[in-house]
Amino acid sequence: MKEDDILRKAVKRFGNDLQVNQAIQEMAELIAELTKSIQKDSMDNISSILEEMADVEITQKQLKIVFENYSRVFKEHYKQKMERLEGLVK
């Protein structure tokens, strides 16, 4: 099964609200692992960080499906953010 099909089936099966809540949980777990790393000034938890990054990426892709009716607005925001970042790194 293709990645997009898996993601769409998950959204359909579990519903928008549950997937949004799941994304929030996964982001919180990534924040917690990154905070641990900064507080300890160590990358001892790199495996946990990478695992949470994978979870966040998956749920972020599901959020794009949940909010796909607003993809034009998302793309506009994304473009503006990238242009701003480009200006900062020039």
Side-chain angles (χ1 to χ4, degrees), residues 37-54:
S37 177
I38 291 169
Q39 288 174 341
K40 293 180 180 180
D41 194 24
S42 168
M43 292 299 277
D44 289 346
N45 63 335
I46 188 67
S47 180
S48 296
I49 290 171
L50 296 174
E51 180 180 357
E52 297 307 333
M53 285 174 60

Side-chain angles (χ1 to χ4, degrees), residues 74-85:
F74 171 81
K75 289 175 185 175
E76 289 172 11
H77 285 297
Y78 186 87
K79 181 181 177 201
Q80 290 170 357
K81 300 288 184 176
M82 288 303 295
E83 287 170 354
R84 181 172 179 264
L85 181 59

Side-chain angles (χ1 to χ4, degrees), residues 66-78:
V66 169
F67 297 108
E68 68 186 340
N69 290 338
Y70 303 96
S71 65
R72 183 185 58 77
V73 177
F74 171 81
K75 289 175 185 175
E76 289 172 11
H77 285 297
Y78 186 87

Side-chain angles (χ1 to χ4, degrees), residues 13-54:
R13 178 173 181 181
F14 301 116
N16 291 351
D17 290 346
L18 190 60
Q19 293 312 100
V20 169
N21 284 329
Q22 186 67 35
I24 293 166
Q25 179 183 335
E26 298 301 348
M27 290 176 204
E29 291 173 4
L30 177 57
I31 290 167
E33 290 300 328
L34 291 169
T35 302
K36 279 185 209 175
S37 177
I38 291 169
Q39 288 174 341
K40 293 180 180 180
D41 194 24
S42 168
M43 292 299 277
D44 289 346
N45 63 335
I46 188 67
S47 180
S48 296
I49 290 171
L50 296 174
E51 180 180 357
E52 297 307 333
M53 285 174 60

